[in-house]
Short mmCIF file of all heavy atoms in Angstrom, two decimals:
data_model
loop_
_atom_site.label_atom_id
_atom_site.label_comp_id
_atom_site.label_asym_id
_atom_site.label_seq_id
_atom_site.Cartn_x
_atom_site.Cartn_y
_atom_site.Cartn_z
N MET A 96 -19.48 -66.40 -144.74
CA MET A 96 -20.30 -65.41 -144.03
C MET A 96 -20.57 -65.87 -142.60
O MET A 96 -20.91 -67.03 -142.38
CB MET A 96 -21.65 -65.25 -144.76
CG MET A 96 -21.57 -64.41 -146.01
SD MET A 96 -21.51 -62.66 -145.63
CE MET A 96 -23.22 -62.20 -145.85
N HIS A 97 -20.41 -64.95 -141.66
CA HIS A 97 -20.70 -65.28 -140.28
C HIS A 97 -22.16 -64.97 -139.96
O HIS A 97 -22.78 -64.15 -140.60
CB HIS A 97 -19.80 -64.48 -139.34
CG HIS A 97 -18.36 -64.84 -139.43
ND1 HIS A 97 -17.92 -66.12 -139.25
CD2 HIS A 97 -17.26 -64.10 -139.72
CE1 HIS A 97 -16.61 -66.16 -139.42
NE2 HIS A 97 -16.19 -64.94 -139.70
N CYS A 98 -22.64 -65.67 -138.94
CA CYS A 98 -24.01 -65.44 -138.50
C CYS A 98 -24.09 -64.10 -137.77
O CYS A 98 -23.29 -63.83 -136.87
CB CYS A 98 -24.43 -66.58 -137.58
SG CYS A 98 -25.91 -66.24 -136.64
N TYR A 99 -25.06 -63.30 -138.13
CA TYR A 99 -25.22 -61.99 -137.50
C TYR A 99 -25.51 -62.11 -136.01
O TYR A 99 -24.91 -61.41 -135.19
CB TYR A 99 -26.35 -61.22 -138.18
CG TYR A 99 -26.67 -59.90 -137.52
CD1 TYR A 99 -25.87 -58.79 -137.75
CD2 TYR A 99 -27.73 -59.77 -136.64
CE1 TYR A 99 -26.12 -57.58 -137.13
CE2 TYR A 99 -28.00 -58.58 -136.01
CZ TYR A 99 -27.20 -57.47 -136.26
OH TYR A 99 -27.47 -56.29 -135.63
N ASP A 100 -26.43 -63.01 -135.65
CA ASP A 100 -26.80 -63.15 -134.24
C ASP A 100 -25.64 -63.67 -133.40
O ASP A 100 -25.49 -63.30 -132.24
CB ASP A 100 -28.02 -64.06 -134.10
CG ASP A 100 -29.31 -63.34 -134.48
OD1 ASP A 100 -29.43 -62.15 -134.17
OD2 ASP A 100 -30.18 -63.98 -135.09
N CYS A 101 -24.82 -64.55 -133.98
CA CYS A 101 -23.67 -65.05 -133.24
C CYS A 101 -22.67 -63.92 -133.00
O CYS A 101 -22.07 -63.83 -131.92
CB CYS A 101 -23.00 -66.18 -134.02
SG CYS A 101 -23.88 -67.75 -133.90
N LEU A 102 -22.49 -63.07 -133.97
CA LEU A 102 -21.58 -61.94 -133.81
C LEU A 102 -22.07 -61.03 -132.69
O LEU A 102 -21.27 -60.50 -131.91
CB LEU A 102 -21.47 -61.15 -135.12
CG LEU A 102 -20.71 -61.85 -136.26
CD1 LEU A 102 -20.74 -60.98 -137.51
CD2 LEU A 102 -19.26 -62.13 -135.86
N GLN A 103 -23.39 -60.88 -132.59
CA GLN A 103 -23.97 -60.05 -131.53
C GLN A 103 -23.68 -60.65 -130.16
O GLN A 103 -23.57 -59.95 -129.17
CB GLN A 103 -25.49 -59.93 -131.70
CG GLN A 103 -25.92 -59.22 -132.96
CD GLN A 103 -25.47 -57.78 -133.03
OE1 GLN A 103 -25.78 -56.99 -132.15
NE2 GLN A 103 -24.69 -57.45 -134.05
N GLU A 104 -23.56 -61.97 -130.12
CA GLU A 104 -23.30 -62.66 -128.86
C GLU A 104 -21.80 -62.85 -128.62
O GLU A 104 -21.39 -63.54 -127.69
CB GLU A 104 -23.99 -64.03 -128.87
CG GLU A 104 -25.51 -63.93 -128.89
CD GLU A 104 -26.19 -65.27 -129.17
OE1 GLU A 104 -25.46 -66.29 -129.25
OE2 GLU A 104 -27.41 -65.30 -129.32
N GLY A 105 -20.99 -62.31 -129.50
CA GLY A 105 -19.56 -62.39 -129.32
C GLY A 105 -18.91 -63.62 -129.90
O GLY A 105 -17.73 -63.88 -129.66
N ARG A 106 -19.69 -64.43 -130.62
CA ARG A 106 -19.14 -65.60 -131.26
C ARG A 106 -18.82 -65.29 -132.72
O ARG A 106 -19.68 -64.86 -133.47
CB ARG A 106 -20.15 -66.76 -131.23
CG ARG A 106 -20.40 -67.32 -129.86
CD ARG A 106 -21.64 -68.23 -129.87
NE ARG A 106 -21.56 -69.27 -130.89
CZ ARG A 106 -22.59 -70.01 -131.28
NH1 ARG A 106 -23.77 -69.80 -130.75
NH2 ARG A 106 -22.44 -70.94 -132.17
N ALA A 107 -17.57 -65.50 -133.08
CA ALA A 107 -17.17 -65.16 -134.45
C ALA A 107 -16.79 -66.40 -135.25
O ALA A 107 -16.27 -66.31 -136.35
CB ALA A 107 -16.01 -64.17 -134.42
N ASP A 108 -17.08 -67.57 -134.67
CA ASP A 108 -16.64 -68.80 -135.32
C ASP A 108 -17.76 -69.56 -136.03
O ASP A 108 -17.56 -70.65 -136.54
CB ASP A 108 -16.00 -69.72 -134.27
CG ASP A 108 -16.97 -70.08 -133.15
OD1 ASP A 108 -17.93 -69.31 -132.95
OD2 ASP A 108 -16.76 -71.11 -132.51
N SER A 109 -18.94 -68.99 -136.02
CA SER A 109 -20.05 -69.72 -136.62
C SER A 109 -20.13 -69.51 -138.13
O SER A 109 -19.65 -68.52 -138.65
CB SER A 109 -21.37 -69.26 -135.99
OG SER A 109 -21.62 -67.92 -136.37
N ALA A 110 -20.72 -70.48 -138.77
CA ALA A 110 -20.90 -70.39 -140.22
C ALA A 110 -22.37 -70.16 -140.53
O ALA A 110 -23.23 -70.92 -140.09
CB ALA A 110 -20.43 -71.67 -140.88
N GLY A 111 -22.65 -69.12 -141.23
CA GLY A 111 -24.02 -68.84 -141.63
C GLY A 111 -24.45 -69.83 -142.70
O GLY A 111 -23.65 -70.21 -143.56
N ILE A 112 -25.69 -70.25 -142.63
CA ILE A 112 -26.16 -71.20 -143.63
C ILE A 112 -27.15 -70.59 -144.60
O ILE A 112 -27.43 -71.15 -145.65
CB ILE A 112 -26.83 -72.44 -142.99
CG1 ILE A 112 -28.04 -72.01 -142.15
CG2 ILE A 112 -25.83 -73.22 -142.14
CD1 ILE A 112 -29.01 -73.17 -141.89
N GLY A 113 -27.67 -69.44 -144.26
CA GLY A 113 -28.65 -68.87 -145.17
C GLY A 113 -28.98 -67.43 -144.83
O GLY A 113 -28.63 -66.92 -143.77
N MET A 114 -29.67 -66.80 -145.77
CA MET A 114 -30.05 -65.41 -145.62
C MET A 114 -31.54 -65.36 -145.31
O MET A 114 -32.34 -65.98 -146.00
CB MET A 114 -29.76 -64.67 -146.92
CG MET A 114 -29.85 -63.17 -146.81
SD MET A 114 -29.53 -62.39 -148.41
CE MET A 114 -31.13 -62.60 -149.19
N CYS A 115 -31.87 -64.62 -144.29
CA CYS A 115 -33.28 -64.51 -143.90
C CYS A 115 -34.09 -63.90 -145.04
O CYS A 115 -33.70 -62.88 -145.62
CB CYS A 115 -33.40 -63.64 -142.65
SG CYS A 115 -35.11 -63.30 -142.20
N ALA A 116 -35.21 -64.54 -145.35
CA ALA A 116 -36.05 -64.07 -146.44
C ALA A 116 -36.72 -62.75 -146.13
O ALA A 116 -37.19 -62.04 -147.01
CB ALA A 116 -37.10 -65.13 -146.77
N ARG A 117 -36.77 -62.40 -144.84
CA ARG A 117 -37.45 -61.18 -144.44
C ARG A 117 -36.48 -60.01 -144.24
O ARG A 117 -36.64 -58.96 -144.87
CB ARG A 117 -38.25 -61.42 -143.16
CG ARG A 117 -39.03 -60.22 -142.68
CD ARG A 117 -39.94 -60.57 -141.55
NE ARG A 117 -41.07 -61.39 -141.99
CZ ARG A 117 -42.21 -60.86 -142.48
NH1 ARG A 117 -42.37 -59.57 -142.58
NH2 ARG A 117 -43.20 -61.64 -142.85
N CYS A 118 -35.49 -60.17 -143.39
CA CYS A 118 -34.61 -59.04 -143.09
C CYS A 118 -33.31 -59.06 -143.88
O CYS A 118 -32.59 -58.07 -143.91
CB CYS A 118 -34.33 -58.96 -141.59
SG CYS A 118 -33.31 -60.30 -140.96
N GLY A 119 -33.00 -60.21 -144.50
CA GLY A 119 -31.81 -60.26 -145.34
C GLY A 119 -30.51 -60.51 -144.61
O GLY A 119 -29.45 -60.52 -145.22
N LEU A 120 -30.58 -60.71 -143.28
CA LEU A 120 -29.36 -60.98 -142.53
C LEU A 120 -28.98 -62.45 -142.65
O LEU A 120 -29.83 -63.31 -142.80
CB LEU A 120 -29.56 -60.61 -141.05
CG LEU A 120 -29.65 -59.12 -140.75
CD1 LEU A 120 -29.99 -58.90 -139.28
CD2 LEU A 120 -28.34 -58.43 -141.08
N PHE A 121 -27.69 -62.70 -142.55
CA PHE A 121 -27.16 -64.05 -142.64
C PHE A 121 -27.13 -64.67 -141.25
O PHE A 121 -26.63 -64.06 -140.32
CB PHE A 121 -25.74 -63.97 -143.22
CG PHE A 121 -25.46 -65.04 -144.23
CD1 PHE A 121 -26.12 -65.03 -145.45
CD2 PHE A 121 -24.54 -66.04 -143.97
CE1 PHE A 121 -25.87 -66.02 -146.39
CE2 PHE A 121 -24.28 -67.03 -144.90
CZ PHE A 121 -24.95 -67.03 -146.11
N THR A 122 -27.70 -65.84 -141.09
CA THR A 122 -27.65 -66.50 -139.78
C THR A 122 -27.30 -67.97 -139.91
O THR A 122 -27.41 -68.56 -140.97
CB THR A 122 -28.99 -66.37 -139.00
OG1 THR A 122 -30.03 -66.98 -139.76
CG2 THR A 122 -29.35 -64.94 -138.72
N CYS A 123 -26.90 -68.55 -138.78
CA CYS A 123 -26.53 -69.96 -138.75
C CYS A 123 -27.76 -70.82 -138.48
O CYS A 123 -28.87 -70.30 -138.31
CB CYS A 123 -25.49 -70.20 -137.66
SG CYS A 123 -26.14 -70.00 -135.99
N GLN A 124 -27.55 -72.12 -138.40
CA GLN A 124 -28.66 -73.03 -138.18
C GLN A 124 -29.31 -72.82 -136.82
O GLN A 124 -30.51 -73.03 -136.66
CB GLN A 124 -28.15 -74.47 -138.30
CG GLN A 124 -29.25 -75.48 -138.59
CD GLN A 124 -28.73 -76.71 -139.29
OE1 GLN A 124 -27.55 -77.01 -139.25
NE2 GLN A 124 -29.61 -77.43 -139.95
N ASP A 125 -28.49 -72.43 -135.82
CA ASP A 125 -29.02 -72.21 -134.48
C ASP A 125 -29.91 -70.97 -134.43
O ASP A 125 -30.81 -70.88 -133.60
CB ASP A 125 -27.87 -72.03 -133.48
CG ASP A 125 -27.11 -73.32 -133.25
OD1 ASP A 125 -27.67 -74.39 -133.58
OD2 ASP A 125 -25.98 -73.25 -132.77
N HIS A 126 -29.63 -70.01 -135.26
CA HIS A 126 -30.36 -68.75 -135.23
C HIS A 126 -31.32 -68.57 -136.39
O HIS A 126 -31.86 -67.48 -136.61
CB HIS A 126 -29.36 -67.57 -135.21
CG HIS A 126 -28.65 -67.43 -133.90
ND1 HIS A 126 -27.30 -67.60 -133.77
CD2 HIS A 126 -29.13 -67.15 -132.66
CE1 HIS A 126 -26.96 -67.42 -132.48
NE2 HIS A 126 -28.05 -67.15 -131.79
N GLY A 127 -31.51 -69.63 -137.13
CA GLY A 127 -32.44 -69.54 -138.26
C GLY A 127 -33.37 -70.72 -138.32
O GLY A 127 -33.16 -71.72 -137.64
N HIS A 128 -34.39 -70.61 -139.10
CA HIS A 128 -35.36 -71.69 -139.25
C HIS A 128 -35.68 -71.89 -140.72
O HIS A 128 -35.90 -70.93 -141.45
CB HIS A 128 -36.67 -71.36 -138.53
CG HIS A 128 -36.51 -71.14 -137.07
ND1 HIS A 128 -36.60 -72.17 -136.16
CD2 HIS A 128 -36.23 -70.02 -136.37
CE1 HIS A 128 -36.40 -71.68 -134.96
NE2 HIS A 128 -36.17 -70.38 -135.05
N VAL A 129 -35.70 -73.14 -141.12
CA VAL A 129 -36.17 -73.46 -142.46
C VAL A 129 -37.62 -73.85 -142.30
O VAL A 129 -37.94 -74.80 -141.58
CB VAL A 129 -35.37 -74.62 -143.09
CG1 VAL A 129 -35.96 -74.99 -144.44
CG2 VAL A 129 -33.90 -74.23 -143.25
N VAL A 130 -38.49 -73.09 -142.90
CA VAL A 130 -39.92 -73.37 -142.76
C VAL A 130 -40.51 -73.81 -144.09
O VAL A 130 -40.10 -73.36 -145.16
CB VAL A 130 -40.70 -72.14 -142.22
CG1 VAL A 130 -40.28 -71.82 -140.81
CG2 VAL A 130 -40.49 -70.94 -143.12
N ARG A 131 -41.47 -74.72 -143.99
CA ARG A 131 -42.17 -75.21 -145.17
C ARG A 131 -43.44 -74.40 -145.32
O ARG A 131 -44.12 -74.10 -144.35
CB ARG A 131 -42.54 -76.68 -144.99
CG ARG A 131 -41.34 -77.58 -144.92
CD ARG A 131 -40.89 -77.93 -146.30
NE ARG A 131 -39.70 -78.78 -146.29
CZ ARG A 131 -39.17 -79.29 -147.40
NH1 ARG A 131 -39.71 -79.01 -148.56
NH2 ARG A 131 -38.11 -80.03 -147.36
N GLU A 132 -43.76 -74.04 -146.50
CA GLU A 132 -45.01 -73.32 -146.68
C GLU A 132 -45.60 -73.61 -148.04
O GLU A 132 -44.90 -73.93 -148.99
CB GLU A 132 -44.80 -71.82 -146.49
CG GLU A 132 -43.85 -71.20 -147.47
CD GLU A 132 -43.66 -69.71 -147.24
OE1 GLU A 132 -44.03 -69.22 -146.16
OE2 GLU A 132 -43.14 -69.05 -148.14
N HIS A 133 -46.92 -73.49 -148.10
CA HIS A 133 -47.63 -73.72 -149.35
C HIS A 133 -47.49 -72.50 -150.25
O HIS A 133 -47.53 -71.37 -149.78
CB HIS A 133 -49.11 -74.00 -149.08
CG HIS A 133 -49.34 -75.36 -148.49
ND1 HIS A 133 -49.22 -76.51 -149.23
CD2 HIS A 133 -49.66 -75.74 -147.24
CE1 HIS A 133 -49.48 -77.54 -148.44
NE2 HIS A 133 -49.73 -77.12 -147.23
N VAL A 134 -47.33 -72.77 -151.50
CA VAL A 134 -47.20 -71.68 -152.45
C VAL A 134 -48.55 -71.45 -153.12
O VAL A 134 -49.17 -72.40 -153.61
CB VAL A 134 -46.15 -72.04 -153.53
CG1 VAL A 134 -46.05 -70.93 -154.56
CG2 VAL A 134 -44.81 -72.30 -152.89
N HIS A 135 -48.98 -70.23 -153.10
CA HIS A 135 -50.25 -69.90 -153.74
C HIS A 135 -50.01 -69.55 -155.19
O HIS A 135 -49.15 -68.76 -155.52
CB HIS A 135 -50.91 -68.71 -153.01
CG HIS A 135 -51.40 -69.08 -151.66
ND1 HIS A 135 -52.62 -69.65 -151.43
CD2 HIS A 135 -50.79 -69.00 -150.44
CE1 HIS A 135 -52.76 -69.90 -150.13
NE2 HIS A 135 -51.66 -69.52 -149.51
N ARG A 136 -50.78 -70.19 -156.03
CA ARG A 136 -50.65 -69.93 -157.45
C ARG A 136 -51.76 -69.01 -157.91
O ARG A 136 -52.92 -69.17 -157.53
CB ARG A 136 -50.69 -71.25 -158.24
CG ARG A 136 -49.49 -72.11 -157.95
CD ARG A 136 -49.38 -73.24 -158.94
NE ARG A 136 -50.42 -74.24 -158.73
CZ ARG A 136 -50.27 -75.53 -159.03
NH1 ARG A 136 -49.14 -75.96 -159.55
NH2 ARG A 136 -51.25 -76.38 -158.84
N ALA A 137 -51.39 -68.08 -158.73
CA ALA A 137 -52.37 -67.11 -159.21
C ALA A 137 -53.25 -67.71 -160.29
O ALA A 137 -52.80 -68.51 -161.11
CB ALA A 137 -51.65 -65.87 -159.76
N GLY A 138 -54.51 -67.31 -160.27
CA GLY A 138 -55.44 -67.72 -161.32
C GLY A 138 -55.83 -69.17 -161.26
O GLY A 138 -55.46 -69.91 -160.36
N GLY A 139 -56.61 -69.59 -162.23
CA GLY A 139 -57.04 -70.97 -162.32
C GLY A 139 -58.23 -71.28 -161.44
O GLY A 139 -58.48 -70.59 -160.45
N LEU A 140 -58.95 -72.31 -161.81
CA LEU A 140 -60.10 -72.71 -161.04
C LEU A 140 -59.70 -73.84 -160.10
O LEU A 140 -58.76 -74.58 -160.37
CB LEU A 140 -61.22 -73.18 -161.96
CG LEU A 140 -61.82 -72.11 -162.88
CD1 LEU A 140 -62.73 -72.75 -163.91
CD2 LEU A 140 -62.59 -71.08 -162.06
N GLY A 141 -60.44 -74.00 -159.02
CA GLY A 141 -60.15 -75.08 -158.10
C GLY A 141 -58.92 -74.83 -157.27
O GLY A 141 -58.77 -73.77 -156.67
N ARG A 142 -58.02 -75.77 -157.27
CA ARG A 142 -56.84 -75.73 -156.43
C ARG A 142 -55.95 -74.53 -156.75
O ARG A 142 -55.56 -74.34 -157.89
CB ARG A 142 -56.06 -77.02 -156.67
CG ARG A 142 -54.97 -77.26 -155.67
CD ARG A 142 -54.20 -78.52 -156.11
NE ARG A 142 -53.25 -78.88 -155.07
CZ ARG A 142 -53.52 -79.82 -154.17
NH1 ARG A 142 -54.64 -80.46 -154.21
NH2 ARG A 142 -52.63 -80.09 -153.24
N THR A 143 -55.63 -73.76 -155.72
CA THR A 143 -54.79 -72.60 -155.95
C THR A 143 -53.45 -72.69 -155.23
O THR A 143 -52.63 -71.79 -155.31
CB THR A 143 -55.49 -71.30 -155.51
OG1 THR A 143 -55.86 -71.43 -154.14
CG2 THR A 143 -56.70 -71.01 -156.35
N THR A 144 -53.25 -73.80 -154.50
CA THR A 144 -51.95 -73.96 -153.86
C THR A 144 -51.21 -75.13 -154.50
O THR A 144 -51.82 -76.11 -154.92
CB THR A 144 -52.08 -74.22 -152.34
OG1 THR A 144 -52.94 -75.35 -152.16
CG2 THR A 144 -52.64 -73.02 -151.63
N SER A 145 -49.93 -75.02 -154.58
CA SER A 145 -49.12 -76.08 -155.16
C SER A 145 -49.16 -77.31 -154.25
O SER A 145 -49.15 -77.18 -153.03
CB SER A 145 -47.69 -75.58 -155.32
OG SER A 145 -46.84 -76.66 -155.64
N PRO A 146 -49.19 -78.52 -154.83
CA PRO A 146 -49.20 -79.73 -153.99
C PRO A 146 -47.86 -79.95 -153.29
O PRO A 146 -47.76 -80.70 -152.33
CB PRO A 146 -49.50 -80.85 -155.00
CG PRO A 146 -49.06 -80.30 -156.31
CD PRO A 146 -49.33 -78.82 -156.24
N VAL A 147 -46.86 -79.27 -153.77
CA VAL A 147 -45.53 -79.40 -153.17
C VAL A 147 -45.25 -78.16 -152.34
O VAL A 147 -45.46 -77.03 -152.78
CB VAL A 147 -44.44 -79.54 -154.26
CG1 VAL A 147 -43.07 -79.67 -153.61
CG2 VAL A 147 -44.75 -80.73 -155.14
N GLN A 148 -44.79 -78.37 -151.10
CA GLN A 148 -44.49 -77.24 -150.23
C GLN A 148 -43.14 -76.64 -150.58
O GLN A 148 -42.18 -77.37 -150.86
CB GLN A 148 -44.49 -77.68 -148.77
CG GLN A 148 -45.88 -77.88 -148.21
CD GLN A 148 -45.85 -78.15 -146.72
OE1 GLN A 148 -45.17 -79.04 -146.25
NE2 GLN A 148 -46.58 -77.36 -145.97
N ALA A 149 -43.08 -75.34 -150.53
CA ALA A 149 -41.83 -74.64 -150.80
C ALA A 149 -41.04 -74.51 -149.51
O ALA A 149 -41.51 -74.89 -148.44
CB ALA A 149 -42.12 -73.27 -151.39
N ARG A 150 -39.87 -73.97 -149.63
CA ARG A 150 -38.99 -73.84 -148.47
C ARG A 150 -38.56 -72.39 -148.35
O ARG A 150 -38.35 -71.70 -149.34
CB ARG A 150 -37.77 -74.74 -148.71
CG ARG A 150 -36.93 -74.96 -147.51
CD ARG A 150 -36.03 -76.13 -147.73
NE ARG A 150 -35.17 -75.96 -148.91
CZ ARG A 150 -34.32 -76.89 -149.33
NH1 ARG A 150 -34.21 -78.01 -148.69
NH2 ARG A 150 -33.59 -76.67 -150.39
N ARG A 151 -38.44 -71.95 -147.11
CA ARG A 151 -38.06 -70.56 -146.87
C ARG A 151 -37.18 -70.51 -145.64
O ARG A 151 -37.41 -71.24 -144.68
CB ARG A 151 -39.32 -69.71 -146.64
CG ARG A 151 -39.10 -68.22 -146.71
CD ARG A 151 -40.42 -67.52 -146.90
NE ARG A 151 -41.29 -67.73 -145.72
CZ ARG A 151 -41.50 -66.78 -144.80
NH1 ARG A 151 -41.00 -65.60 -144.92
NH2 ARG A 151 -42.27 -67.03 -143.76
N PHE A 152 -36.18 -69.68 -145.66
CA PHE A 152 -35.29 -69.55 -144.50
C PHE A 152 -35.52 -68.20 -143.84
O PHE A 152 -35.48 -67.16 -144.52
CB PHE A 152 -33.83 -69.67 -144.96
CG PHE A 152 -32.86 -69.64 -143.81
CD1 PHE A 152 -32.71 -70.73 -142.99
CD2 PHE A 152 -32.11 -68.51 -143.56
CE1 PHE A 152 -31.81 -70.71 -141.93
CE2 PHE A 152 -31.21 -68.47 -142.50
CZ PHE A 152 -31.07 -69.57 -141.69
N VAL A 153 -35.81 -68.23 -142.56
CA VAL A 153 -35.99 -66.99 -141.81
C VAL A 153 -35.18 -67.04 -140.52
O VAL A 153 -34.98 -68.11 -139.94
CB VAL A 153 -37.47 -66.70 -141.46
CG1 VAL A 153 -38.28 -66.32 -142.69
CG2 VAL A 153 -38.11 -67.87 -140.75
N CYS A 154 -34.72 -65.89 -140.07
CA CYS A 154 -33.93 -65.85 -138.85
C CYS A 154 -34.84 -65.97 -137.62
O CYS A 154 -36.06 -65.84 -137.73
CB CYS A 154 -33.10 -64.57 -138.80
SG CYS A 154 -34.04 -63.09 -138.41
N ASP A 155 -34.24 -66.21 -136.50
CA ASP A 155 -34.94 -66.38 -135.23
C ASP A 155 -35.86 -65.19 -134.93
O ASP A 155 -37.02 -65.36 -134.55
CB ASP A 155 -33.90 -66.51 -134.12
CG ASP A 155 -34.25 -67.63 -133.16
OD1 ASP A 155 -35.16 -68.43 -133.48
OD2 ASP A 155 -33.61 -67.71 -132.10
N THR A 156 -35.32 -64.01 -135.09
CA THR A 156 -36.05 -62.80 -134.77
C THR A 156 -37.29 -62.64 -135.65
O THR A 156 -38.39 -62.38 -135.16
CB THR A 156 -35.15 -61.56 -134.95
OG1 THR A 156 -33.99 -61.73 -134.14
CG2 THR A 156 -35.87 -60.28 -134.55
N CYS A 157 -37.13 -62.85 -136.94
CA CYS A 157 -38.26 -62.70 -137.85
C CYS A 157 -39.26 -63.82 -137.67
O CYS A 157 -40.47 -63.60 -137.77
CB CYS A 157 -37.77 -62.66 -139.29
SG CYS A 157 -36.82 -61.16 -139.66
N ARG A 158 -38.78 -65.01 -137.36
CA ARG A 158 -39.68 -66.13 -137.12
C ARG A 158 -40.54 -65.85 -135.88
O ARG A 158 -41.74 -66.10 -135.88
CB ARG A 158 -38.86 -67.40 -136.90
CG ARG A 158 -39.68 -68.64 -136.61
CD ARG A 158 -40.22 -69.24 -137.88
NE ARG A 158 -41.02 -70.43 -137.60
CZ ARG A 158 -42.21 -70.67 -138.14
NH1 ARG A 158 -42.71 -69.82 -138.99
NH2 ARG A 158 -42.86 -71.77 -137.87
N THR A 159 -39.92 -65.31 -134.86
CA THR A 159 -40.65 -64.96 -133.65
C THR A 159 -41.68 -63.89 -133.95
O THR A 159 -42.82 -63.96 -133.49
CB THR A 159 -39.67 -64.44 -132.56
OG1 THR A 159 -38.71 -65.46 -132.30
CG2 THR A 159 -40.40 -64.12 -131.27
N ALA A 160 -41.28 -62.91 -134.73
CA ALA A 160 -42.20 -61.82 -135.08
C ALA A 160 -43.38 -62.34 -135.89
O ALA A 160 -44.52 -61.90 -135.70
CB ALA A 160 -41.45 -60.75 -135.87
N GLU A 161 -43.11 -63.29 -136.77
CA GLU A 161 -44.18 -63.81 -137.63
C GLU A 161 -45.18 -64.69 -136.87
O GLU A 161 -46.32 -64.78 -137.24
CB GLU A 161 -43.56 -64.64 -138.77
CG GLU A 161 -42.93 -63.80 -139.85
CD GLU A 161 -42.32 -64.66 -140.96
OE1 GLU A 161 -42.35 -65.90 -140.84
OE2 GLU A 161 -41.83 -64.09 -141.94
N THR A 162 -44.69 -65.35 -135.82
CA THR A 162 -45.56 -66.28 -135.11
C THR A 162 -46.11 -65.72 -133.80
O THR A 162 -46.89 -66.38 -133.13
CB THR A 162 -44.81 -67.61 -134.81
OG1 THR A 162 -43.62 -67.32 -134.08
CG2 THR A 162 -44.46 -68.32 -136.11
N ALA A 163 -45.66 -64.52 -133.42
CA ALA A 163 -46.13 -63.91 -132.18
C ALA A 163 -47.60 -63.53 -132.29
O ALA A 163 -48.05 -63.09 -133.35
CB ALA A 163 -45.29 -62.68 -131.86
N HIS A 164 -48.32 -63.69 -131.19
CA HIS A 164 -49.74 -63.35 -131.20
C HIS A 164 -50.00 -62.20 -130.23
O HIS A 164 -49.35 -62.07 -129.23
CB HIS A 164 -50.60 -64.55 -130.79
CG HIS A 164 -50.52 -65.65 -131.80
ND1 HIS A 164 -51.08 -65.57 -133.05
CD2 HIS A 164 -49.90 -66.84 -131.76
CE1 HIS A 164 -50.84 -66.68 -133.72
NE2 HIS A 164 -50.11 -67.47 -132.96
ZN1 ZN B 290 -25.86 -67.96 -135.04
ZN1 ZN B 291 -34.77 -61.99 -140.32
#
């Protein structure tokens, strides 16, 4: 799978490494971000987040949208 953003820039030689969790497009390492995040667990008393951080892959565009203020 080729990276969507690279194709937009006219590069067809890149290798996509993952699918954006938000928009579903395939992007390469340059155009995507692997982000760590806490997982919220439903129910239970006290601690509601997992002690281990999960991993999520999002593309540049969605990452920018998520962090824009
Ligand atoms: Zn790319
Ligand atoms: Zn995306």
